Amino acid sequence: MNRQPLLILLVCYGMGIGVQDYLLLEEHLVYLFLLVSTLFVGILILKRFEQRHLYKSVFLGVFFFSLGIFSHFLNSQSPDLPVLSKKENLV
């Protein structure tokens, strides 16, 4: 991730959107994946260990991948519409 870090993260984000569009993951899996990737990034930020530079790009890629899944999950939900009989009007 030394040469094009934003492009790589954007590709990971787009791949997350594509995976959510293709697989249609359930709600609890989306939240679990987002939670695990957020914990990994939090551990990466808070802990100072020697091989931090080796895992930084992988953890950030997984985090942006899960953000893509989560954002597409939120945008692809259909709204709950009320059931109306023939004589009712929605104002």
Side-chain angles (χ1 to χ4, degrees), residues 20 25-39 63 66-67 69-75 77:
Q20 175 61 21
L25 299 173
E26 296 179 12
E27 182 177 2
H28 67 278
L29 287 176
V30 171
Y31 286 121
L32 178 68
F33 195 63
L34 183 65
L35 177 70
V36 168
S37 66
T38 304
L39 287 175
F63 180 67
S66 66
L67 281 179
I69 290 174
F70 181 69
S71 64
H72 190 66
F73 169 73
L74 290 178
N75 286 329
Q77 291 178 347

Side-chain angles (χ1 to χ4, degrees), residues 26-63:
E26 296 179 12
E27 182 177 2
H28 67 278
L29 287 176
V30 171
Y31 286 121
L32 178 68
F33 195 63
L34 183 65
L35 177 70
V36 168
S37 66
T38 304
L39 287 175
F40 281 151
V41 170
I43 289 171
L44 179 72
I45 291 171
L46 295 177
K47 297 289 183 183
R48 300 283 183 189
F49 51 92
E50 293 178 14
Q51 290 86 15
R52 180 179 177 196
H53 64 279
L54 296 175
Y55 299 113
K56 181 176 75 170
S57 60
V58 174
F59 285 162
L60 284 175
V62 170
F63 180 67

